Structure formats: C-alpha cells, structure tokens
Amino acid sequence: QSVLTQAPSVSGAPGQRVAISCTGSSSNIGAGYDVHWYQQLPGTAPKLLIYGDTNRPSGVPDRFSGSKSGTSASLAITGLQAEDEADYYCQSYDSSLSDVVFGEGTKLTVL
Amino acid sequence: EVQLLESGGGSVQPGGSLRLSCAASGFTFSTYAMSWVRQAPGKGLEWVSDISDSGGNTYYADSVKGRFTVSRDNSKNTLYLQMNSLRAEDTAVYYCATDMMGGHIVVVARVDWGPGTLVTVSS
C-alpha cells in the first residue's frame, strides 16, 4: 500500500482527454514536495514525463501536463493517441517516512 | 546521448549476495547523483537507494537498509549496488537512473533510466 494513491486504471478514446490523479497527504504532496510523473510502456524502462509538478522535459509533447493542489496532483493527457497506452506513475518524497515514494501506478487503456 | 546499462542480475538463493553494476556514458557521470529503483514482477516502482555525485552521501529505503550498499567509481563511470542477505521479496528488475540536478537528491526527478537487470531470489 503506497502513501500515494492512484486509480488502478483509466481509459479513453482516441482524441479524448484523460486525467490521472495522485493523492497524498500532509507529509508528502501537501508538504510542498515536488511531484514527478513517469510513463512506462509495456516491457520498457520508465520515462520521465513531468518534473517539479508542471514541467515537461524536452521532447515530451505538450499534450501532457501536470498540476498540483493541496494534497493531490494530476497528470492530464489531451488528444489521446494509441501510443499513450502505458502505465503512469507519480513520485514524490515523504518526510514522515524519509523515503522517495511512488504511486501504485495507473494503467491507461486507449479504446 | 545518455546511456545507462545495468548488469550483474541473475538467480540467487535466499540469503545470498549479488553485486549489480550500472555503466554510464554520454554525460559527465561524476557530476550527477544516481538512483536505484526496482520493480517486482507485475508490480509498481519502488525506490531503493540514492548516492550523491561524490559518493559521500547515501540514502536507502527501509526495506533494504542494512542489507544493500550503494557505491560508485567515478573514474570508471560506474554505479554499484551490493545486495546481501537477499530475500524472495527482493525479486525484481533493478533500474539505475540519473537524478535531476538541483535540489536535494531524494526529492528530485529521475531523468534517464537504464533498461534494467532482473534479480530472482528463489530456492
């Protein structure tokens, strides 16, 4: 059981917008620690999608965006494409655990 | 282009040891903090350890503290993870990753990742 909660799955049709949430607490996201998001395509290593809550590394399409409010963060994907089908993980730091923490991951299915 | 390549994985009995290596190229290795992150079969990501750019500071998840040791050889551009007293629950793909510069190393994002190496602990 992770301290960062993500829905196990989400789905959307091509072209649609989906949002993946990451809910934490006052010792991690709510304490102001940065949230980062990773995309993991089947059988591959994770890839950094969003860092520092809202920033995209170079090469990541602007269809991907991040936000944070209170004890939660969210990854939005617009203009959904078949190639977006993957697992998505949030990551932050928890001061109570003194640990880097990952969410359990959300599997995105493109219908 | 940043390249990271893990090696040293394999099958080991409970209680045994393994040393993983991560060979780095395409960037100035000695200026980057580095991480180990693992993923059990069919499960999510779990942070294992971090080491500062000089190797002077190390950090561990509670699940591996006292059993695993992270180190680096900046002259060889190589990161290591010595794993002792291995348990079945240590079975996972182990990834090395570069830590983003700026900020405390355990807080920042992991930027570039290797393809991983599989460790299986079983009798």
Side-chain angles (χ1 to χ4, degrees), chain A residues 4-12 16-24 29 35-41 47 49-50 53 63-69 71-78 80-81 83-91 102-110:
Chain A
L4 300 181
T5 301
Q6 296 182 240
S9 63
V10 66
S11 62
Q16 284 189 334
R17 176 188 185 276
V18 297
I20 298 171
S21 65
C22 175
T23 302
I29 298 175
V35 177
H36 318 297
W37 290 91
Y38 303 87
Q39 176 193 59
Q40 188 175 33
L41 298 171
K47 170 190 172 184
L49 265 188
I50 299 288
D53 303 336
R63 302 187 296 106
F64 296 89
S65 63
S67 62
K68 186 171 81 175
S69 178
T71 59
S72 293
S74 183
L75 171 71
I77 310 172
T78 58
L80 209 54
Q81 300 179 3
E83 67 213 46
D84 298 332
E85 192 160 285
D87 293 323
Y88 292 84
Y89 295 90
C90 58
Q91 178 229 310
F102 284 92
E104 299 134 317
T106 297
K107 181 175 182 60
L108 169 64
T109 299
V110 180

Side-chain angles (χ1 to χ4, degrees), chain A residues 33-34 36 38 40 44-48 50-52 57 87 89 91-93 97-104, chain B residues 37 39 43-47 50 60-63 65 95 100 105-116:
Chain A
Y33 291 107
D34 283 350
H36 318 297
Y38 303 87
Q40 188 175 33
T44 69
K47 170 190 172 184
L48 179 63
I50 299 288
Y51 67 92
D87 293 323
Y89 295 90
Q91 178 229 310
S92 187
Y93 176 76
L97 300 174
S98 297
D99 266 1
V100 176
V101 288
F102 284 92
E104 299 134 317
Chain B
V37 176
Q39 186 170 35
K43 302 296 184 183
L45 302 172
E46 179 188 14
W47 172 72
D50 255 277
Y60 299 94
D62 284 345
S63 57
K65 203 170 293 182
Y95 298 101
M100 182 168 281
I105 67 174
V106 290
V107 177
V108 298
R110 278 64 189 166
V111 181
D112 294 292
W113 297 63

